[in-house]
Amino acid sequence: MYNMNELTEIINKCRRCSLHSKRKNVVVGEGNIDAKIMFIGEGPGEEEDNTGRPFVGRAGQLLTRMIEAIELKREDVYIANIVKCRPPNNRVPLEEEAIKCLPYLRYQVAIVRPKIIVCLGATSAKYIISREIRITKDRGVWYQKGNFYIIPTYHPSALLRDPSKKKDSWEDFKNIRDKLKKL
Ligand code: URA
């Protein structure tokens, strides 16, 4: 078992898939490694690739506000992605890329041991919960796996594209806030 610093060193050197060749920075993840709650997105975009930090672009700023809306701070939570290197033109990560990167996320989850995992969007839900998940139909439903409660909800980018989804998203976040208080 690695600690987060050791794991970060390993991930920073990763060349397991072709995404490594165009990256400026690896985006491992950030936040409180004792967090009770972990948010998992899809993969770094341009600003994340430029800075090496997850969710710092427009979608990230919205995520930060959503976290604050449920009475948490960004520093209280842990934030990571399915893939740690930016896919070209922000395309959805290929299955092969996600599968090669997933062991890193599993280590991160094993280190942080959150009580709640929030899957942001379809890609995150697909690899963490099940291939069968359809985000529009299945969002807001709790899944229990091992010691974790897992909930799929919309990716903040989806909310920026379609603000009519914000109402459902807020229901999910209130639900997350209430669950967290009970755990
Ligand atoms: N979108 C994601 O899925 N992850 C990030 O880190 C940024 C944008």
Side-chain angles (χ1 to χ4, degrees):
M1 185 68 192
Y2 302 109
N3 66 33
M4 197 64 94
N5 289 338
E6 291 164 342
L7 183 65
T8 300
E9 254 181 60
I10 294 168
I11 304 176
N12 274 326
K13 288 191 219 133
C14 183
R15 297 167 68 103
R16 296 184 71 178
C17 83
S18 60
L19 294 183
H20 80 268
S21 63
K22 297 225 163 65
R23 73 185 174 214
K24 291 189 188 142
N25 285 288
V26 181
V27 181
V28 175
E30 73 178 20
N32 180 352
I33 60 163
D34 292 316
K36 280 192 176 174
I37 180 164
M38 193 158 165
F39 290 86
I40 302 176
E42 177 175 296
E46 186 176 13
E47 292 202 42
E48 291 78 20
D49 181 50
N50 283 336
T51 57
R53 297 181 56 208
F55 281 100
V56 290
R58 255 185 96 218
Q61 287 160 24
L62 178 56
L63 177 64
T64 303
R65 292 202 299 276
M66 289 156 70
I67 289 169
E68 289 167 354
I70 55 166
E71 300 152 42
L72 296 171
K73 293 195 219 75
R74 218 182 128 106
E75 311 84 79
D76 297 332
V77 310
Y78 193 84
I79 304 176
N81 282 303
I82 296 290
V83 296
K84 314 301 193 211
C85 299
R86 183 188 180 197
N89 303 315
N90 301 342
R91 65 157 168 74
V92 175
L94 302 178
E95 179 115 8
E96 184 198 328
E97 294 157 355
I99 298 293
K100 289 200 169 143
C101 212
L102 270 172
Y104 298 136
L105 183 63
R106 293 207 182 90
Y107 267 114
Q108 290 175 298
V109 172
I111 292 167
V112 177
R113 298 202 306 137
K115 295 190 187 295
I116 293 176
I117 295 176
V118 181
C119 296
L120 298 168
T123 301
S124 175
K126 171 178 174 183
Y127 291 107
I128 293 169
I129 306 170
S130 134
R131 273 150 214 274
E132 315 305 321
I133 298 280
R134 294 291 166 268
I135 203 77
T136 314
K137 181 164 71 67
D138 302 319
R139 54 143 276 280
V141 175
W142 289 103
Y143 294 80
Q144 204 179 349
K145 272 200 181 181
N147 296 320
F148 313 114
Y149 288 97
I150 311 179
I151 188 168
T153 188
Y154 291 124
H155 192 288
S157 303
L159 306 178
L160 292 172
R161 279 195 303 272
D162 177 4
S164 74
K165 291 191 163 81
K166 283 188 178 174
K167 192 167 163 284
D168 284 341
S169 167
W170 178 230
E171 290 306 314
D172 296 347
F173 270 70
K174 282 191 290 189
N175 194 340
I176 293 164
R177 175 192 65 194
D178 294 345
K179 181 79 140 190
L180 196 59
K181 280 188 183 156
K182 284 192 229 138
L183 293 174

